Amino acid sequence: MSKIITVFGATGHQGGSVIRTILNDPELSKEFKIRGITRDASKPEAQALAKQGVEITTADMNSKDSLRQALQGSHSVFLVTTPAWGTAGSDAELVHGKNVADVAQESGVEHLIFSSLLHVTETSAGRLTHVPHFDHKAEVEAYIRSLGVPATFVLPGYFMTNYTMIGLLRKGENGVWTLAYPVGQDAKFPLIDISADMGKYVSASLKNRSGTLGTQLLGAEDYYTPTRILEEFEQVTGHKTQFVQVDPDTYKSFIPGPMGQEMLENHLFIESPGYFNGKSLQEAKDLVGKAGYELTSWREFLERNRGLFV
């Protein structure tokens, strides 16, 4: 009989990637039956998953009773929490993560895989204190560890889709594409094609549960400087580019409200002490490779999305 893996955010980038990877894996698709959690089971993306054999259900992450139903009978769980973007002082992400952790413990979940991040305030020794979408995930990770729930933590890097979906690369009237950051040209961005590759880390952990329990898997294909990002962009698209380092106040002015400060400090963190605090990506890359998967490079991502840069 197949084991149940419950996947939160089933129609999102991360949960969707996990579901696609398991469905397309001959080994895992036999081992696991997928239960997908989404906020709206009626939307087309959810219905499309249901047609592929995914059990679709909804859950209120503020309600432990709702979560108990969602996790009932689950052997494994993939959890991703959603930041309360632009809502200063919100602890919703922290509450949601802890609620799922509590219910996972009660329900006897044997493998909780959580999409985590580093604690910016602590890692920067208090220099950067306004990046709650990192800090709250790190605090949920610490809480899961304190409960003793068998868990693996996948820390996704900087999304390649940031350059397509939120327009970090912008075309000027002169045809030159500009990348503007509040950091220097040597800052190291650990890039991940989140929709294609998040599921590969999770699936690699499912295949090697005993070897990954209690560990952090750093999710990125490689570290890329702004210089390398633009060089490969030019090589693939043929467009001219320029990098502009802007001062913090100017950068904040691009993004209104508290989110401007959060994004500023997020990028300052990438420059120093580093998105993953200078740690190597190799261990997680080796695990993914041994599980039979290949990660997506920035060049490959650009080639697949060339049509978005015209």
Side-chain angles (χ1 to χ4, degrees), residues 69 101-102 104-105 120 140 149 153 157 180 191 221 236 249 259 265 291:
Q69 286 187 309
D102 285 338
Q105 183 191 42
V120 171
V140 171
V149 177
F153 306 95
L191 297 190
E221 186 270 333
V236 171
D249 287 339
M259 195 169 168
E265 293 193 16

Side-chain angles (χ1 to χ4, degrees), residues 4-8 33 35-37 70-71 74 76-79:
I4 295 173
I5 179 168
T6 296
V7 178
F8 284 84
K33 174 179 172 56
R35 178 182 295 153
I37 307 296
L71 267 60
S74 297
S76 301
V77 172
F78 171 71
L79 172 62

Side-chain angles (χ1 to χ4, degrees), residues 141-192:
E141 175 180 334
Y143 186 72
I144 291 169
R145 291 182 184 275
S146 75
L147 293 178
V149 177
T152 303
F153 306 95
V154 180
L155 282 60
Y158 193 89
F159 295 3
M160 294 180 187
T161 48
N162 287 343
Y163 300 99
T164 55
M165 296 184 68
I166 59 175
L168 290 183
L169 275 164
R170 295 181 181 272
K171 184 180 181 181
E173 293 182 1
N174 60 356
V176 175
W177 291 74
T178 298
L179 178 61
Y181 276 137
V183 297
Q185 296 184 67
D186 297 324
K188 294 179 178 179
F189 290 74
L191 297 190
I192 181 173

